[in-house]
Amino acid sequence: MHPPTRISAEDIAKSRIEDYALIGDEQTAALVGRDGSVDWLCLPRFDSAACFAKLLGDEENGHWRIAPKDADGAPHACTRRAYRPGTLVLDTEWDTPQGSVRVTDLMPQRDRAPDLVRIVEGLSGRVTVHSTLRLRFDYGSIVPWMRRSDGHRVAVAGPDSVWLRSEPPVLTWGENFGTHSEFTVDEGQKVAFVLTWHPSHEPRPPLVDPHKALRGSIADWQAWSARCRYHGPHRDTVLRSLITLKALTYAPTGGIVAAPTTSLPEEIGGVRNWDYRYCWLRDSTLTLGALLMAGYQEEAEAWRDWLVRAVAGAPADMQIMYGLAGERRLPESVLPWLTGFAGSTPVRIGNAAVRQLQLDVYGQVMDSLSLARTSGMAVKPHMWQLQCALMEFLRSAWRQPDEGLWEVRGGRRQFVHSKVMVWVAADRAVRTMERHPELKGDLHGWRQLREEVHREVCERGYDPERNTFTQYYGSRELDAALLLIPRVGFLPPDDPRVQGTVEAVRAELGHHGYLRRYSTDHTVVDGLPGGEGTFLVCSFWLADALHMTGRREEARELFERLVRLTNDVGLLSEEYDPVSGRQLGNFPQAFSHIGLVNTALALFGDEGAG
């Protein structure tokens, strides 16, 4: 393991999160740069250790670059790139003085083992192509032992084994702890590489035909995309967001990771760097609604089923996030050998926020299960008993302070959004019993709880002087999550308190036309130094709130600006810095893409219904 190297100002300026594209097989994902380099890949799962970690370090932490030889040795962006329509298959093309060449990247849905397929195709002329593969297991810290076997290059270190082959075979050699290949392609000629991972104690899995895998992946993705019911404005962008959500789904369980990355910074050079390779309950209702309204009932049911399994157990022990299969232990640690994206440290794995109390997640779960029931999904055994147990816990616990939606690390407070979501939990329980009188539960008690929470929030969480709800009881601060008050039905959109809150949030948290989630300038609420970018999902919430309060043209104008923030292949990170024009935070971010889909459906639902 080599020591961290100093990141130059030039390298920081050149490092841009939006330069990446996503490929994946619904169990893990890779990020591919404009220069043809795979700089991030965790195998075999989203939350496994990375074998390519250049994204958070340098080339010695692992990457795999395929590009024209003339482009080798220095950062060299491709001429153009795009996904095949309706798929997660990526084409990257270079025009050179000698001709043009394309690299097609994909991860076919796996049978037994994960495969990364990279197909080089000559488009015109005669182009020499160079491949540089540096495998570094355990987040770039372990250099594997390389050997040749049966026409393959084989890398082994501890539990990991990776096999690399090309069809047809090309000249390959080892140099500087990397594996290099060089070959020439004429127009119409193809060279395919396949990289396959498996546990080192098991035999090599069956070989994958790369060209058959390409055809199958295109067919499968396009068949899935054809199910999309949205046909309104920006359909391609909405569909790309849905494809991204599908790609972030862990197919064996139905869980959806918040992002496939860890520690991409919320501020360049800052410390707000978190591991998002887990499944958050906060996303549940918005995710479920987006999938159902867009026509993806099967995926919605898989997410609902994951949710029911994950939260099963004592309500007091319910967590804000879980692992891909519902794992509960996600210990947080720091990887000191990685210099971080654009020099932003620390690089963290795991997430200590898993132990926080966030009362809003109880409302999210109750709202999700209510939505699932009203949408016609088959009711899961014991689902209502689980909901009743959650309500009994909230009856005694709802007055507690908590860390809130944004997982602050500055101490617990009486967050208004958390209390609103407690009201949502009680409201959905009451409505479910009113629709299904055959169910057993404390209808009278839950109605009383709903009324009591509503009354307290309106008394203690509202500032009549400024005509706005506040971030927490007695606070002068605001919170973008307050924009959800009309959406969840706590108050109607035409209530003056709602309209005042929308105006206050936009005025105080607005930043160059977008929205921060809360102020980090003069508050110790989150307990962290530095700042962050504007939160993209919050800006989508603002568009929703403007639409609901009758300001439809403003809502559409904001949505148009947000759509323009997607990178060249339609992807969004968590945040955006409007001053530098850079995306920030983990990438691509499920919450941002959920916001895009839901806002499109809200603004253009009538004209977009299919």
Side-chain angles (χ1 to χ4, degrees):
M1 181 174 65
H2 74 294
T5 56
R6 185 176 179 85
I7 305 296
S8 69
E10 182 182 3
D11 287 338
I12 291 175
K14 289 185 296 190
S15 301
R16 299 179 71 87
I17 291 169
E18 56 267 38
D19 283 344
Y20 288 96
L22 178 79
I23 59 172
D25 64 359
E26 295 181 62
Q27 295 191 45
T28 191
L31 294 188
V32 187
R34 293 178 188 269
D35 61 351
S37 181
V38 180
D39 289 347
W40 182 255
L41 175 61
C42 300
L43 292 172
R45 306 193 336 172
F46 290 107
D47 57 353
S48 300
C51 63
F52 298 142
K54 179 187 172 187
L55 180 73
L56 300 177
D58 59 28
E59 291 186 348
E60 292 304 318
N61 297 123
H63 74 116
W64 183 12
R65 185 174 181 224
I66 299 179
K69 183 179 180 181
D70 291 344
D72 201 38
H76 183 87
C78 61
T79 306
R80 56 192 162 270
R81 64 176 182 173
Y83 287 111
R84 302 280 177 101
T87 79
L88 202 64
V89 175
L90 179 69
D91 287 329
T92 305
E93 298 179 1
W94 288 263
D95 294 336
T96 76
Q98 293 75 36
S100 299
V101 66
R102 172 191 298 144
V103 176
T104 298
D105 289 318
L106 65 143
M107 294 188 71
Q109 290 213 12
R110 69 181 74 171
D111 180 15
R112 283 176 47 195
D115 297 287
L116 172 56
V117 176
R118 313 196 72 186
I119 301 175
V120 183
E121 180 181 2
L123 301 178
S124 66
R126 182 178 177 85
V127 182
T128 299
V129 176
H130 193 95
S131 167
T132 301
L133 170 68
R134 288 187 176 89
L135 283 161
R136 300 291 186 268
F137 296 125
D138 193 29
Y139 300 101
S141 68
I142 297 175
V143 180
W145 181 263
M146 299 289 295
R147 61 184 173 86
R148 293 183 184 270
S149 176
D150 192 25
H152 289 71
R153 285 276 181 163
V154 185
V156 177
D160 298 294
S161 181
V162 167
W163 295 65
L164 173 71
R165 78 178 196 277
S166 66
E167 296 182 7
V170 297
L171 174 65
T172 302
W173 71 94
E175 181 181 332
N176 295 328
F177 299 101
T179 299
H180 300 262
S181 303
E182 191 167 294
F183 53 95
T184 301
V185 287
D186 296 316
E187 182 177 345
Q189 187 178 2
K190 297 179 181 180
V191 175
F193 291 87
V194 180
L195 185 147
T196 303
W197 178 95
H198 68 92
S200 59
H201 64 277
E202 294 182 0
R204 185 195 69 193
L207 300 181
V208 168
D209 181 327
H211 304 290
K212 183 178 179 181
L214 173 60
R215 293 191 297 271
S217 291
I218 292 172
D220 289 346
W221 275 109
Q222 289 182 342
W224 186 87
S225 296
R227 292 164 48 197
C228 178
R229 289 205 302 246
Y230 179 79
H231 295 281
H234 299 290
R235 184 180 190 276
D236 288 346
T237 304
V238 172
L239 179 57
R240 178 54 51 193
S241 290
L242 289 165
I243 290 171
T244 303
L245 291 178
K246 178 71 168 172
L248 298 180
T249 301
Y250 184 65
T253 67
I256 301 175
V257 296
T261 57
T262 179
S263 297
L264 289 179
E266 297 177 15
E267 178 184 44
I268 298 298
V271 301
R272 297 166 184 260
N273 314 321
W274 315 109
D275 194 346
Y276 275 19
R277 298 171 299 157
Y278 307 111
C279 308
W280 265 258
L281 300 188
R282 71 181 184 205
D283 306 357
S284 58
T285 305
L286 297 175
T287 302
L288 199 63
L291 292 172
L292 286 170
M293 291 180 67
Y296 292 100
Q297 179 93 6
E298 180 181 336
E299 287 73 15
E301 291 194 8
W303 172 241
R304 188 278 312 269
D305 293 349
W306 175 89
L307 184 67
V308 171
R309 293 192 304 270
V311 303
D317 296 331
M318 193 168 80
Q319 300 181 175
I320 67 168
M321 74 182 84
Y322 295 87
L324 305 177
E327 298 91 345
R328 290 172 174 259
R329 295 186 183 273
L330 311 174
E332 184 176 302
S333 59
V334 171
L335 306 183
W337 62 87
L338 290 173
T339 54
F341 182 88
S344 305
T345 56
V347 172
R348 296 181 174 95
I349 58 171
N351 200 312
V354 70
R355 306 314 310 171
Q356 290 187 353
L357 173 66
Q358 294 181 22
L359 291 173
D360 66 288
V361 301
Y362 292 86
Q364 293 286 2
V365 172
M366 290 295 294
D367 197 18
S368 296
L369 298 183
S370 174
L371 177 59
R373 190 185 293 267
T374 58
S375 68
M377 290 186 195
V379 177
K380 301 296 290 184
H382 312 303
M383 193 169 79
W384 180 243
Q385 291 92 324
L386 170 64
Q387 292 178 268
C388 290
L390 295 178
M391 289 307 305
E392 287 310 301
F393 171 77
L394 277 183
R395 192 196 301 271
S396 60
W398 75 271
R399 289 187 175 86
Q400 296 183 43
D402 70 343
E403 279 89 0
L405 170 72
W406 305 121
E407 300 163 14
V408 300
R409 300 194 178 195
R412 294 181 177 180
R413 286 173 168 77
Q414 299 284 3
F415 286 106
V416 171
H417 175 260
S418 296
K419 305 305 184 190
V420 168
M421 293 309 296
V422 170
W423 177 89
V424 168
D427 179 73
R428 301 320 187 248
V430 167
R431 289 172 180 266
T432 299
M433 287 201 68
E434 290 173 344
R435 285 191 297 264
H436 301 278
E438 73 277 8
L439 295 175
K440 304 298 182 183
D442 186 5
L443 179 59
H444 176 70
W446 295 340
R447 281 175 174 156
Q448 285 187 320
L449 176 62
R450 180 175 66 174
E451 293 170 4
E452 184 178 3
V453 175
H454 197 279
R455 181 170 57 251
E456 179 177 293
V457 170
C458 291
E459 290 175 356
R460 301 184 62 192
Y462 174 71
D463 182 348
E465 178 185 337
R466 297 155 65 207
N467 188 29
T468 181
F469 286 92
T470 59
Q471 187 178 35
Y472 55 92
Y473 291 171
S475 166
R476 296 285 297 177
E477 304 290 341
L478 300 182
D479 190 323
L482 300 170
L483 296 171
L484 297 174
I485 285 175
R487 181 174 188 147
V488 300
F490 184 83
L491 288 172
D494 60 357
D495 189 292
R497 292 166 293 183
V498 169
Q499 299 195 358
T501 299
V502 173
E503 282 306 300
V505 166
R506 181 156 72 160
E508 295 192 22
L509 300 183
H511 183 55
H512 292 267
Y514 304 101
L515 210 63
R516 295 187 174 105
R517 54 180 176 169
Y518 53 80
S519 173
T520 59
D521 296 336
H522 307 290
T523 178
V524 294
V525 170
D526 65 12
L528 295 166
E532 59 187 23
T534 59
F535 244 67
L536 292 175
V537 74
C538 296
S539 298
F540 284 114
W541 292 347
L542 176 58
D544 295 339
L546 291 170
H547 178 76
M548 292 185 73
T549 55
R551 302 167 73 166
R552 291 178 172 82
E553 288 304 314
E554 293 178 61
R556 291 192 177 200
E557 187 274 333
L558 176 55
F559 180 73
E560 293 287 340
R561 285 192 286 113
L562 287 164
V563 166
R564 290 196 292 271
L565 297 185
T566 60
N567 73 353
D568 60 311
V569 290
L571 302 181
L572 288 171
S573 63
E574 182 180 40
E575 302 177 22
Y576 178 71
D577 179 359
V579 177
S580 66
R582 296 169 66 142
Q583 293 197 25
L584 296 170
N586 283 305
F587 174 89
Q589 175 79 0
F591 220 15
S592 298
H593 286 283
I594 292 164
L596 190 153
V597 172
N598 278 319
T599 301
L601 291 166
L603 299 187
F604 310 111
D606 293 338
E607 56 192 286

